[in-house]
Amino acid sequence: MAGLTVAHRAALAHLITLCPPELLDGLRRAVGGWPGDKARELGGMLNAADGERRRRDRALGPLVPMFRERMDGVEALTFPAQVLPRLWAVARESELDLLTRLDRDGPETAIVGDRLCLAAAAAVRDRPEAVWPPNLAAETREAGLEALARCLDLTHLARKALRHLETWLGRPDGDSLAELRLLIRDAAGIHEDGAPRLIDILFAHLRDAALVLRLVTQTSGSAVRDEFLSGSEMGVFVERLIDGVEVRAARVAAFRPGPDAGPEAEAALEDIRWCTATLGELDVTLEMQPGSAWGKDVREARLKVTRRLTETIRSAPKVVEAALPMTRTTLAGRMTRKVPDLNSDPASAALATAGVQLRMLGALRPAASVFGCESDRRQQADRLIEMLSRYADEGFDLIHGGEVEDLDRALALMEAVARLLVHLEAHEAARTVRRRAAATIHGTGMRGASPEAA
């Protein structure tokens, strides 16, 4: 069978360079099971590309995360993804004899990597057209090339810093702090903005953006005070976090629960969790003055989130009452009382909205403690658990008394009540409702009715 043509190989080689690592790994596994000469050739190309990627990541490792946007959306120094393969190509072309030394671990790997980074920095300055694709925005080209070259100049320091990063983020001792401050001083000696650029490189390796505070506040004995840090070159990292809090606080304030708002509710909860963690880190690591610009921004963002949480907490009972309507039944003569309306639609929009709101209410416990409304949340949750349990008790009384027209509908409504209890983390109460529903089905000899309740 004929193999791949030159044109095929060129096209596939280009496509392979565009594949993210996860997709490349999946392709290698898939192609390994295909028959034929073309498949074997493609498999060889994928294996070679994987090996080259590993070499690239070892050599340019400190900067590799900077070629993608942060997952949390916090502002950071990044470079276009298309630049990375071009940068590696120009870095390796004059050092081909050293590449095999990147295939094994050891101190020599770092030395070779640092040499390749210096070669890349020279190429960025001397041959920018070979590194920066011409189709990218021209207005960011010069600034991007300059920032990339400066980061490459700092790679040897960043490589060393990454080995200590976990210690600095934990409980560093005096020697560790001295090492951090020495590296910051060395970076400042290479470029006037070398210190923040070094932190930019480390920031790209932090999954939790708020942890950067533990670095910047340790760069100096005075950096824990916001009046000092706000006037320093490291203040930009605090400003990025505060901007992130403000953006999320605005989204949380704009969110309104609805029957189809499940994904939006999860996004709002994630924003609340992020704000909770970031504001907690700010409180712990930075001595923020209430009257400072940062202090005012943080206070305003905190108030936005608190108002949204309070509104969600206090409106929950009314939402549940609308979702589980009551009707009047005659006791004797003109005497009546309210009982659950078991003819209600168990798939109504009002019930879906209540489910969204109570899911948020149950998930807000950690955040409510930080924002000062946990007592209110707990009070409303207890009230709702009691309300739902009473609704279920009265509903089953009607079911067992033969006072329902549609048993399937009534049991489906009881299952909806059980789900609402689960959202409030009242798992034992929910199990009780479901056991009673199962017993009802068994006692009436129903088959196939309300399987969710069963």
Side-chain angles (χ1 to χ4, degrees):
M1 183 182 295
L4 297 170
T5 66
V6 174
H8 287 156
R9 292 180 67 86
L12 288 170
H14 176 67
L15 289 174
I16 288 171
T17 62
L18 301 178
C19 288
E22 300 79 11
L23 179 56
L24 192 61
D25 290 340
L27 285 173
R28 288 173 57 239
R29 288 192 296 270
V31 172
W34 296 353
D37 293 341
K38 291 182 179 179
R40 281 192 290 274
E41 281 193 62
L42 177 56
M45 293 176 66
L46 290 170
N47 288 331
D50 182 63
E52 193 66 18
R53 185 195 70 196
R54 293 178 187 276
R55 290 176 175 177
R56 182 201 72 191
D57 289 352
R58 285 188 172 185
L60 305 180
L63 302 192
V64 168
M66 303 182 80
F67 290 90
R68 54 179 178 265
E69 298 294 328
R70 288 190 60 87
M71 294 296 291
D72 55 19
V74 175
E75 182 185 351
L77 176 60
T78 59
F79 305 106
Q82 307 97 301
V83 171
L84 182 56
R86 297 167 69 102
L87 181 67
W88 175 238
V90 298
R92 69 189 294 280
E93 65 184 15
S94 61
E95 306 288 355
L96 295 176
D97 56 324
L98 297 177
L99 297 182
T100 55
R101 302 187 186 187
L102 295 170
D103 295 334
R104 54 185 179 272
D105 292 321
E108 188 179 47
T109 302
I111 296 172
V112 173
D114 291 342
R115 180 166 170 175
L116 286 164
C117 286
L118 289 176
V124 169
R125 293 185 171 100
D126 297 338
R127 294 187 293 145
E129 70 287 346
V131 175
W132 205 270
N135 61 324
L136 296 181
E139 61 271 16
T140 61
R141 174 186 173 85
E142 292 304 319
L145 285 166
E146 180 61 25
L148 179 57
R150 293 191 174 203
C151 286
L152 286 164
D153 292 338
L154 299 170
T155 307
H156 64 292
L157 297 178
R159 204 184 304 274
K160 185 176 181 180
L162 286 169
R163 294 197 291 268
H164 299 277
L165 186 57
E166 187 174 347
T167 300
W168 295 334
L169 297 178
R171 295 181 178 274
D173 56 21
D175 291 341
S176 296
L177 290 179
E179 183 73 24
L180 170 61
R181 291 167 185 173
L182 180 60
L183 286 170
I184 291 294
R185 189 182 67 184
D186 289 345
I190 294 174
H191 292 297
E192 60 181 9
D193 62 347
R197 292 296 76 78
L198 179 60
I199 299 296
D200 267 319
I201 297 172
L202 300 181
F203 186 43
H205 291 261
L206 298 179
R207 186 178 296 274
D208 182 355
L211 293 180
V212 74
L213 292 169
R214 302 187 187 183
L215 295 177
V216 299
T217 55
Q218 292 168 357
T219 57
S220 164
S222 303
V224 294
R225 302 197 307 271
D226 74 339
E227 69 269 21
F228 175 86
L229 194 57
S230 62
S232 77
E233 57 192 357
M234 296 295 183
V236 64
F237 298 99
V238 181
E239 290 169 2
R240 291 175 185 175
L241 293 176
I242 293 176
D243 288 345
V245 170
E246 290 178 334
V247 168
R248 286 163 175 78
R251 289 203 299 249
V252 170
F255 171 74
R256 294 294 181 274
D260 301 317
E264 291 83 356
E266 291 302 319
L269 283 171
E270 185 56 37
D271 283 340
I272 292 168
R273 294 186 193 105
W274 194 91
C275 289
T276 302
T278 303
L279 290 172
E281 193 68 38
L282 279 165
D283 290 341
V284 169
T285 57
L286 194 61
E287 296 175 7
M288 194 168 295
Q289 302 302 313
S292 68
W294 287 352
K296 292 176 182 177
D297 290 342
V298 168
R299 185 169 62 254
E300 180 60 31
R302 193 186 292 271
L303 284 173
K304 283 183 181 179
V305 177
T306 302
R307 282 195 292 266
R308 176 70 261 174
L309 297 189
T310 302
E311 184 178 337
T312 298
I313 291 167
R314 294 183 178 177
S315 64
K318 290 184 178 179
V319 173
V320 173
E321 288 173 0
L324 298 172
M326 306 287 281
T327 186
R328 287 197 171 273
T329 186
T330 302
L331 291 176
R334 300 177 64 182
M335 296 179 61
T336 62
R337 72 181 182 93
K338 284 188 173 183
V339 296
D341 182 3
L342 298 187
N343 291 317
S344 302
D345 182 7
S348 68
L351 256 175
T353 300
V356 171
Q357 186 133 351
L358 293 202
R359 188 161 66 248
M360 289 193 69
L361 187 65
L364 286 176
R365 182 169 57 182
S369 298
V370 173
F371 289 97
C373 49
E374 171 56 15
S375 176
D376 198 1
R377 191 204 72 85
R378 182 69 263 172
Q379 182 180 0
Q380 295 294 348
D382 289 343
R383 175 185 171 189
L384 285 165
I385 291 169
E386 182 182 352
M387 178 195 304
L388 292 167
S389 298
R390 185 171 61 251
Y391 188 94
D393 288 341
E394 294 178 356
F396 280 117
D397 287 344
L398 294 173
I399 291 171
H400 296 152
E403 299 180 46
V404 297
E405 300 175 4
D406 187 336
L407 187 56
D408 272 351
R409 178 183 288 263
L411 289 174
L413 200 59
M414 292 299 100
E415 170 57 26
V417 171
R419 286 198 300 270
L420 294 179
L421 287 166
V422 169
H423 294 328
L424 293 171
E425 300 182 353
H427 299 289
E428 186 56 40
R431 280 193 291 269
T432 298
V433 173
R434 285 172 170 153
R435 280 196 297 267
R436 294 181 69 179
T440 300
I441 293 173
H442 179 73
T444 57
M446 293 174 63
R447 295 292 182 269
S450 191
E452 205 169 6

